[in-house]
């Protein structure tokens, strides 16, 4: 990938950005796959770069489980936290904001500005809590489609995302192939496995076991902080590989020379997990965690779009694909990406696949990787060149 | 292993057995590695088979995290539950009770008859709770040594165990090499890794997050059932492999044709985990779970017995070793057994190693496996033959 050696993932970002809000389904409710209907629906979103006059440079970024619309840049004022994919999105980066118009929205069911269980239920004037309908990855994507229509984006050069973001990307390609010129699916799978479901279920049980969860009705009292922290700790273990944990922590002790012979956080890895748990509680809504993990567990693209056949689910349109897995990712192992790639090939899709050697486990897709940035930049560049050629030829 | 083709793991067991109790440290307290002292100390134990006059046929079985002394047979009367290693221990089985005298005791710190945090603190007349001293795998083994002395067992033909039982086996070999003719360590490691510690820590946090845990003082009120159930569910995920989960559950639904669009246990794997959580709460003490996992996390044989060198930890005596790992065990992966084997070889020990192809993950060591039973039987047989020859020659 020497042609992309000048990528600057560590370089300057997109600068100051602004969180925007788009509200729809004010008159007609938004009907979910379950049959339940909600409205109005608000999506929080951000954009970086500018849409070309021909509309051919839009890139939709889909976030993972606990991500949000703040994928790149910094907010004005009080919160200088950079976006969660700062290493990938920006001038001269893998998704080059000098060339592309990037859109990222918080998923439906989320808690970072989009409508979710913590939002007010218009019928009661109180937070939805568990009265919020259980939703699907398909519902999240359908809501994003309404946002894109609102923004005047008729077609995206690429939908890009990792983990649950990758599921949304695949859902986009199966549901709206005519809208998605290319799909970049990182560290993901076409359906959730028993192991995925098991980890999510235990995390959910940790939340509902917390008395402060109170059947989901805790918005006027203490939050289920202990349960949510445990849920997050479980997640963090699955995001790292055994090897990454050995390199990062090993059996190192935290601020002490020997064991405490107590239940203090003697080991660095204990201290790390407790910290991650505490930090998460400050920013995330426990009910959103329940709903979003449930949506991911329900995800089975072949079942939803192909009557049980993943190949059939990808039989429409001519979306091209880039699929990337990471060698040490045991949560979304490479074999799951290979299954996806095989189905895409059988469906006649143009697909590139790469397993990146990386020791950091599932987290690798979020980390600074010239290899990954190069793959994404190259895929976008080739797709745009081919799309331009097709447009000049008057092809759809 | 054709010579052991007549092993009958599924055959009749040792029949009716009885749980016994041995109490020591009544006058002099038992001093732990932390420096804390407790007494009296009771160990619950069972034995199967008969000790030969030459005392050369004793086999010590060490149990894993949540096991107990009931390794084989059935109790008289009310509780017909077979022992946890019924497939391995019995007439004609891997550990043949027609030929061997088998001893298994509940670990110090446990809750199945041995002294632990749920026992009465003689100074207060109330359950110890968190006043119970944090203990080590070394302490568990030292207590077992007192029991063997009491039973008149001067030497064991083999110490055998898997997982945390395997740690005790290794501790035995490093601490009392003159007592252990051979050591059979299954699905284990010479030290706990960051990943092991991480899973244990999250399980402990699930318990202490339960308000009913009440700082460990819950013996006269409701038990921290929710927290302990979540801890157990985490454990169960780590005991199975991704592959095993796919075969056992896949995305199968539990008693329903379609999703509930609720947070019910739609998936079989969810139902399984919830059931395992509930069942565990009935039989296990939450504080014991904290203490025993802590002991396992503190385990680092090279640090304790070899000044940081695992090879040095095994430099004394002439214990012979059988080390077995399982291909799909991601909790105690084969590379950890290989590290152990390399250290044993460098220390000049006689060691056999086998990685068994098995899809069931860490649980494999507990399951019916003619291959494993054959390996254990063969190792015991050869060890006994060589020991007899040495005894006839007057060697130590």
């Amino acid at each position: 990938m020497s042609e992309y050696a000048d990528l600057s993932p560590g370089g300057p970002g997109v600068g100051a950005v602004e969180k925007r809000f788009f509200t729809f389904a004010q008159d007609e409710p938004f009907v979910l796959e379950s049959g339940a209907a909600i409205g109005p629906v608000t999506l929080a979103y951000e954009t970086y770069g500018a849409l070309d006059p021909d509309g051919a440079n839009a890139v939709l970024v889909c976030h993972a489980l606990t991500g949000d619309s703040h994928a790149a840049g910094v907010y004005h004022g009080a919160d200088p936290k950079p976006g969660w994919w700062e290493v990938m999105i920006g001038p001269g980066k893998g998704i080059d904001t000098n060339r592309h118009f990037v859109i990222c929205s918080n998923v439906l069911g989320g808690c970072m500005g989009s409508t979710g269980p913590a939002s007010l239920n218009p019928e009661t004037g109180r937070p939805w809590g568990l009265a919020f309908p259980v939703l699907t990855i398909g519902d999240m994507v359908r809501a994003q489609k309404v946002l894109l229509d609102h923004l005047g984006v008729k077609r995206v050069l690429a939908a890009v995302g990792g983990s649950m973001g990758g599921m949304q990307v695949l859902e986009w390609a199966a549901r709206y192939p005519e809208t998605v010129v290319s799909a970049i699916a990182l560290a993901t799978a076409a359906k959730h496995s028993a192991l995925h479901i098991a980890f999510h279920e235990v995390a959910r049980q940790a939340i509902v076991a917390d008395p402060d969860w109170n059947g989901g009705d805790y918005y006027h009292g203490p939050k289920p902080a202990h349960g949510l922290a445990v849920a997050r700790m479980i997640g963090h273990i699955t995001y790292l590989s055994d090897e990454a944990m050995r390199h990062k922590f090993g059996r190192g002790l935290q601020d002490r020379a020997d064991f405490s012979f107590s239940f203090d956080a003697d080991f660095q890895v204990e201290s790390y997990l407790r910290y991650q748990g505490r930090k998460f509680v400050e920013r995330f809504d426990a009910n959103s965690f329940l709903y979003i993990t449930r949506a991911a567990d329900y995800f089975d693209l072949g079942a939803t779009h192909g009557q049980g056949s993943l190949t059939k689910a990808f039989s429409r349109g001519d979306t091209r694909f880039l699929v990337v897995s990471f060698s040490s990712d045991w949560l979304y192992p490479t074999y799951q990406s290979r299954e996806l790639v095989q189905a895409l090939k059988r469906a006649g899709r143009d697909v590139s696949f790469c397993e990146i050697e990386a020791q950091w486990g599932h987290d690798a897709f979020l980390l600074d990787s010239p290899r990954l940035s190069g793959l994404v930049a190259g895929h976008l560049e080739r797709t745009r060149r081919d799309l331009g050629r097709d447009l000049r030829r008057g092809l759809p």
Side-chain angles (χ1 to χ4, degrees), chain A:
Chain A
M1 308 303 300
S2 61
E3 64 205 293
Y4 304 103
D6 59 343
L7 288 168
S8 56
V14 298
V17 295
E18 194 186 341
K19 189 191 277 193
R20 292 190 170 85
F21 300 91
F22 164 60
T23 299
F24 62 99
Q26 281 159 308
D27 303 323
E28 282 285 307
F30 185 65
V31 180
L32 303 175
E33 290 198 317
S34 66
I38 49 169
V41 171
T42 295
L43 291 188
Y45 70 99
E46 296 184 19
T47 67
Y48 323 114
L51 188 62
D52 280 355
D54 66 0
N57 71 332
V59 173
L60 176 71
V61 169
C62 300
H63 70 71
L65 209 60
T66 65
D68 56 26
S69 63
H70 186 39
V74 290
Y75 290 136
H76 291 284
D79 182 5
K81 194 165 73 89
W84 57 266
W85 221 6
E86 195 67 22
V87 296
M88 179 63 79
I89 304 168
K93 298 187 182 179
I95 301 173
D96 187 345
T97 48
N98 288 336
R99 303 158 65 90
H100 299 109
F101 175 62
V102 179
I103 308 140
C104 183
S105 66
N106 185 211
V107 294
L108 182 63
C111 54
M112 303 291 192
S114 293
T115 298
S119 306
L120 291 187
N121 177 348
E123 286 187 17
T124 64
R126 302 186 69 241
W128 281 96
L130 277 213
F132 195 78
V134 166
L135 76 172
T136 64
I137 300 289
D139 292 326
M140 294 174 183
V141 163
R142 289 168 56 238
Q144 288 165 1
K145 179 73 163 66
V146 183
L147 172 64
L148 289 197
D149 290 345
H150 162 74
L151 294 174
V153 174
K154 292 192 178 62
R155 196 147 68 156
V156 294
L157 183 68
V160 190
S163 198
M164 197 189 78
M167 295 178 205
Q168 293 163 61
V169 166
L170 298 175
E171 178 78 29
W172 263 101
R175 190 178 283 270
Y176 303 116
E178 65 286 356
T179 308
V180 183
V181 180
S182 82
I184 303 179
L186 314 172
T188 194
K191 66 181 175 199
H192 244 204
S193 73
L195 186 69
H196 297 141
I197 297 169
F199 276 118
H200 276 177
E201 169 64 5
V202 177
R204 284 191 294 263
Q205 288 300 311
I207 291 170
V208 306
D210 189 329
D212 288 336
W213 179 65
N214 190 34
D217 184 11
Y218 52 79
Y219 295 104
H220 299 287
K223 293 192 290 185
H226 292 297
L228 184 58
V230 169
R232 181 58 167 177
M233 291 186 228
I234 294 169
H236 266 282
I237 297 178
T238 66
Y239 306 151
L240 285 173
S241 66
D242 178 25
E243 187 185 0
M245 285 225 187
R246 269 186 289 144
H247 282 270
K248 198 174 170 107
F249 309 111
R251 289 181 54 83
L253 300 181
Q254 181 77 17
D255 303 329
R256 56 187 318 126
D258 211 342
F259 296 152
S260 68
F261 287 100
S262 77
F263 294 100
D264 291 349
D266 285 4
F267 293 101
Q268 286 166 17
V269 67
E270 295 177 313
S271 181
Y272 168 82
L273 290 171
R274 291 187 191 185
Y275 172 75
Q276 294 295 344
R278 280 196 306 274
K279 215 175 61 169
F280 187 62
V281 168
E282 292 167 14
R283 74 175 177 90
F284 215 83
D285 174 55
N287 283 336
S288 265
F289 190 92
L290 300 181
Y291 280 86
I292 295 175
T293 55
R294 195 59 160 170
D297 291 348
Y298 276 2
F299 185 65
D300 184 345
L301 207 64
T304 306
H305 293 287
Q307 294 165 293
S309 159
L310 189 56
T311 301
K312 203 166 167 182
F314 289 121
S315 60
R316 294 193 304 127
D318 56 357
T319 305
R320 60 168 66 184
F321 289 81
L322 170 63
V323 176
V324 178
S325 70
F326 298 88
S327 57
S328 60
D329 182 352
W330 58 273
L331 191 59
Y332 292 87
T334 291
Y335 80 83
Q336 295 177 1
S337 284
R338 286 194 196 281
E339 284 172 8
L340 171 60
V341 167
Q342 280 158 11
L344 287 166
K345 283 185 174 164
R346 279 196 298 268
R349 296 280 77 81
D350 175 341
V351 53
S352 301
F353 168 63
C354 179
E355 183 192 45
I356 293 182
E357 282 293 326
Q359 64 161 317
W360 294 110
H362 185 58
D363 262 353
F365 82 90
L366 290 168
L367 302 177
D368 189 359
S369 159
R371 181 101 172 88
L372 178 61
S373 294
L375 282 170
V376 170
H379 181 84
L380 290 177
E381 187 61 27
R382 281 188 299 274
T383 304
R384 193 166 179 187
R385 190 185 58 212
D386 296 348
L387 176 67
R389 189 190 56 209
D390 292 347
L391 287 175
R392 282 191 301 276
R393 286 181 187 166
L395 294 176

